Amino acid sequence: MREDKPSRTAYKVAMNIVTLGAKPEMDKIFPPGTVQATEKLLAASGAAGARTIRWSRSQRVRSIYEAFDWMLPGQFEAFAHRKAFCERQARDGIETGATQILVLGAGYDTMGWRLAPKFSGVHFFEIDHPATSRLKAKGIDAMGRRDNLCLIAEDLGQHKLSDVLKHNASWDQRAQTVIVAEGLLMYLAHEAVRELFCQCAMIAGAGSRIAFSHIPAGADGRPDAGRWTGLILWLQKAIGEPWIWSIRPEELGPFLEKLGWIHDPALAGTTDKHGVEFYAVAKK
Ligand SMILES: C[S@@+](CC[C@H](N)C(=O)[O-])C[C@H]1O[C@@H](n2cnc3c(N)ncnc32)[C@H](O)[C@@H]1O
C-alpha cells in the first residue's frame, strides 16, 4: 500500500457497493441505508465525483462486474453479504451487552456513521491508514459528525493496536467490544495477523467478539482464489495491495486459540463462502 495514497481496494469495495446497490433485490441483502450512505460518503469526501457515482449505477458497469464473475464466482454480490454479516455481528453484540464497536481497516465503510445515532450509548471507533482515514474524515465532517464515532488515522503495520488505543481517552479496554476486520487480514503478513489477534485480545473486555473475513489457503499455502489464483494474486500485487495471509478453514480454531480467542462458528451463523472469502467469529 502506498503511504500517501488512499486505499484503492477500499475505493473498489465502495464503488462495488454503489453498482451492486442498483441491482434489483440487493436491498434485501444490504443493511438498510448502506448503499445511500456509501454514495454520500464517496461524494462528500471527494473520493468519487457525482458523474463517476452515476456511471457506477449504470447497467453497463453492472455488466462489467458480472462478466468478471467468471473469474471469481460470486465476488460481485459477496460485498453485500459481507456488509450484512458484519452489521449483524455488531447489532448482535450490542444486543448482548457490547458498548464498543471497533472497525479495523474501515475504508469507506458506513456502519459506524449509520449506527452511531441509533445506539447513543455505544462508542464506535474506526482505524485506517492515514491517507484513507483523513479522506474519509473529510466526508464524515460534511455528512454530519457523530459524537460517538471516532476515526483514528494510524498504520497498524507501524503501531501496535494497544498503543494506538492507549492514547484514546474514550477507549475502555475492559468494555465488551465487537471488533470487525472486514476484507483486511489478507493484506497483512502472517506475523502481523497473529499480532493483531493478540492485540485485539488485549484491548477488549470479557465477552468481546471479533468478526472477520478471510481467504482460505490452497494446497500450496497461498490464498486460494480458485481457478485463476495465479492471475488474481498477480493483479493484486500489481495494484500494490497484494493478498498475503490466508488460512485453511480447519486450522482456524487452533490458530485463534493460541492468540486468546475461541472460534465460534455458531455465532457466525454461516459457513458459506461468498466470492473468495469465508466469514468467521471468535469470542474472548
Ligand atoms: C479492502 S479495504 C476494506 C475496507 C472496508 N473494511 C470494507 O470492507 O469496506 C482494506 C482496508 O484496510 C486498510 N488497511 C490495510 N492495511 C492497513 C494498515 N496497516 N493499517 C491500517 N489500515 C490498513 C486499507 O487502507 C483499506 O481501507
Side-chain angles (χ1 to χ4, degrees), residues 45-65:
S45 62
R51 263 177 65 180
T52 308
I53 292 170
R54 258 198 318 277
W55 180 69
S56 296
R57 289 192 207 110
S58 67
Q59 174 62 45
R60 184 171 294 184
V61 176
R62 201 194 312 163
S63 304
I64 296 170
Y65 275 111

Side-chain angles (χ1 to χ4, degrees), residues 48-123:
R51 263 177 65 180
T52 308
I53 292 170
R54 258 198 318 277
W55 180 69
S56 296
R57 289 192 207 110
S58 67
Q59 174 62 45
R60 184 171 294 184
V61 176
R62 201 194 312 163
S63 304
I64 296 170
Y65 275 111
E66 281 166 351
F68 269 101
D69 256 22
W70 63 265
M71 214 158 54
L72 290 174
Q75 191 61 32
F76 181 36
E77 291 195 3
F79 293 99
H81 293 284
R82 204 168 79 182
K83 290 288 165 207
F85 167 76
C86 293
E87 186 152 331
R88 203 165 52 242
Q89 290 301 323
R91 286 178 179 270
D92 281 2
I94 292 169
E95 242 172 60
T96 55
T99 53
Q100 291 184 142
I101 307 288
L102 170 64
V103 183
L104 302 170
Y108 301 106
D109 181 65
T110 60
M111 181 175 75
W113 184 79
R114 287 180 295 103
L115 297 191
K118 293 189 176 78
F119 300 102
S120 54
V122 176
H123 288 277

Side-chain angles (χ1 to χ4, degrees), residues 1 7 9-10 82-83 105-107 128-129 155-157 182-184:
M1 159 168 296
S7 163
T9 53
R82 204 168 79 182
K83 290 288 165 207
D128 207 304
H129 216 267
D155 181 348
L156 291 173
E182 182 195 358
L184 171 70

Side-chain angles (χ1 to χ4, degrees), residues 181-279:
E182 182 195 358
L184 171 70
L185 302 180
M186 66 282 260
Y187 298 102
L188 307 179
H190 190 81
E191 206 33 60
V193 174
R194 289 176 57 84
E195 179 66 23
L196 191 64
F197 277 109
C198 282
Q199 290 283 314
C200 285
M202 281 166 61
I203 53 96
S208 294
R209 69 175 84 180
I210 180 160
F212 58 99
S213 62
H214 63 97
I215 301 180
D220 58 3
R222 294 187 307 171
D224 179 8
R227 203 171 149 213
W228 299 95
T229 292
L231 176 62
I232 306 282
L233 295 185
W234 181 84
L235 284 171
Q236 286 297 136
K237 201 171 172 187
I239 64 164
E241 298 188 17
W243 286 348
I244 305 166
W245 186 75
S246 60
I247 190 163
R248 291 193 184 90
E250 64 275 17
E251 287 171 4
L252 197 54
F255 173 79
L256 290 166
E257 210 166 317
K258 284 187 210 127
L259 308 172
W261 295 95
I262 297 161
H263 186 209
D264 195 333
L267 205 57
T270 172
T271 50
D272 295 344
K273 191 175 173 208
H274 293 283
V276 293
E277 289 180 296
F278 285 108
Y279 307 144

